[in-house]
């Protein structure tokens, strides 16, 4: 299969971004991530929706989900422009799942399984390149030089929502809203479960083999 359409599911910190980058490079597809898209539009005025907050950033800093209207629109546009993709960070609830179902067909659904304590360790030690988006971890995946991106030399920063308190809040929001999405795909018999607690390279071997098996 050329240009596979891949969905990658997993809790915050499970390693979706790390594996998605490799998938995008290996298969020559787009990495579509709602988290990055929203971070680039944190200050967007959504007051016309008349909801709890007036910008995506306020939801994100609280660890809550940004309203479906905003996220669905981002995904629709990105999917229309992509010839093969790995979708990361979406869908996060039932209504987004239904919406996704109505706009595209998927070839592979991956699920990275990681235990909660490990998720918190990963999130609180995460560092991100401000130029190219590459992700590191201060202990588990450190850059060669502290604070500097191996790939592009850019500065690394810590996300505002990667504090222990907001990380735990996000994991709760995940359990309540997104865990049922995983069950939905499991019930359909299409969920490819991967042990996300292995090293990044070992996870990648499983991810790559799974996509290749589905593609043939
Ligand atoms: P992580 O990589 O840790 O799972 P993301 O970068 O995917 O985190 O998401 C960061 C924040 O962006 C979320 O806590 C949420 O506020 C918002 N967000 C991202 N994707 C969605 C989505 N599909 N629906 C609603 N909010 C989202
Ligand atoms: P997600 O996109 O699911 O929130 P990331 O890919 O951003 O997750 O990874 C979260 C953090 O965990 C990052 O600091 C990353 O370097 C680290 N990480 C990713 N995969 C692994 C792994 N297999 N083992 C240990 N740490 C990992
Ligand atoms: Zn970089």
């Amino acid at each position: 299969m050329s240009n596979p359409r891949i969905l990658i599911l997993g809790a915050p910190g499970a390693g979706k971004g790390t594996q998605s980058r490799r998938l995008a490079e290996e298969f020559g597809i787009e990495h579509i991530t709602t988290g990055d898209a929203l971070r680039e539009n944190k200050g967007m005025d959504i007051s016309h929706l008349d909801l709890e907050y007036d910008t995506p950033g306020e939801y994100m800093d609280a660890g809550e989900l940004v309203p479906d209207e905003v996220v669905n629109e981002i995904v629709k546009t990105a999917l229309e422009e992509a010839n093969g993709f790995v979708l990361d960070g979406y869908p996060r609830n039932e209504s987004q799942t239904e919406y996704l179902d109505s706009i595209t067909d998927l070839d592979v659904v991956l699920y990275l399984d990681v235990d909660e304590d490990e998720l918190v360790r990963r999130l609180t030690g995460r560092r991100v390149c401000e130029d190219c988006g590459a992700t590191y971890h201060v202990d588990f995946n450190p850059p060669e030089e502290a604070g500097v991106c191996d790939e592009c030399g850019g500065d690394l920063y810590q996300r505002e929502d990667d504090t222990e308190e907001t990380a735990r809040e996000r994991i709760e929001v995940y359990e309540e809203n997104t865990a049922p999405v995983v069950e939905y795909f499991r019930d359909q018999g299409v969920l490819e479960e991967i042990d996300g607690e292995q090293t990044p390279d070992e996870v990648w071997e499983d991810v790559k083999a799974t996509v290749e098996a589905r593609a043939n």
Side-chain angles (χ1 to χ4, degrees):
M1 183 192 313
S2 55
N3 307 319
R5 287 161 298 189
I6 305 166
L7 173 62
I8 189 162
L9 297 169
K16 302 180 300 295
T18 301
Q19 299 299 327
S20 294
R21 264 179 101 81
R22 297 173 90 153
L23 281 166
E25 191 181 333
E26 177 78 21
F27 295 97
I29 53 181
E30 291 293 321
H31 178 197
I32 299 175
T33 157
T34 46
D36 285 356
L38 289 167
R39 266 184 292 284
E40 282 162 22
N41 294 283
K42 271 188 119 170
M44 186 169 72
D45 182 6
I46 54 169
S47 57
H48 60 282
L49 296 173
D50 220 14
L51 298 168
E52 190 181 0
Y53 301 120
D54 291 337
T55 60
E58 288 167 89
Y59 289 92
M60 298 169 83
D61 290 342
E64 293 173 32
L65 295 184
V66 174
D68 293 338
E69 294 95 315
V70 178
V71 187
N72 287 346
E73 189 59 35
I74 290 174
V75 170
K76 182 168 191 279
T77 308
L79 290 184
E80 279 168 0
E81 288 168 2
N83 185 13
F85 58 80
V86 51
L87 181 57
D88 160 13
Y90 180 100
R92 264 174 148 97
N93 60 26
E94 211 180 322
S95 104
Q96 292 179 11
T97 308
E98 282 167 17
Y99 184 73
L100 178 64
D101 209 31
S102 76
I103 58 171
T104 194
D105 290 317
L106 299 167
D107 298 312
V108 191
V109 182
L110 303 168
Y111 169 57
L112 302 180
D113 193 11
V114 175
D115 164 275
E116 170 158 357
D117 288 338
E118 173 69 9
L119 294 173
V120 174
R121 282 192 290 274
R122 289 187 185 181
L123 291 168
T124 52
R126 173 159 61 187
R127 297 291 183 272
V128 184
C129 174
E130 63 178 22
D131 291 339
C132 77
T135 300
Y136 299 86
H137 189 284
V138 289
D139 300 316
F140 309 146
N141 180 25
E144 275 172 38
E145 187 185 336
V148 181
C149 180
D150 292 345
E151 289 183 32
C152 78
D155 286 338
L156 305 186
Y157 74 99
Q158 179 166 29
R159 275 169 47 175
E160 278 174 42
D161 59 349
D162 279 345
T163 59
E164 168 140 9
E165 191 193 350
T166 310
R168 292 210 184 265
E169 173 65 29
R170 285 154 62 209
I171 293 166
E172 256 178 56
V173 167
Y174 171 85
E175 286 302 333
E176 189 175 328
N177 297 274
T178 316
V181 173
V182 175
E183 293 316 309
Y184 169 85
F185 287 104
R186 196 197 306 276
D187 289 346
Q188 295 214 326
V190 298
L191 195 71
E192 301 281 359
E193 279 194 67
I194 289 172
D195 175 4
E197 295 204 8
Q198 309 172 88
T199 67
D201 285 346
E202 287 166 348
V203 176
W204 169 240
E205 274 183 39
D206 287 356
V207 163
K208 184 167 175 266
T210 303
V211 172
E212 281 170 349
R214 277 268 161 172
N216 293 318

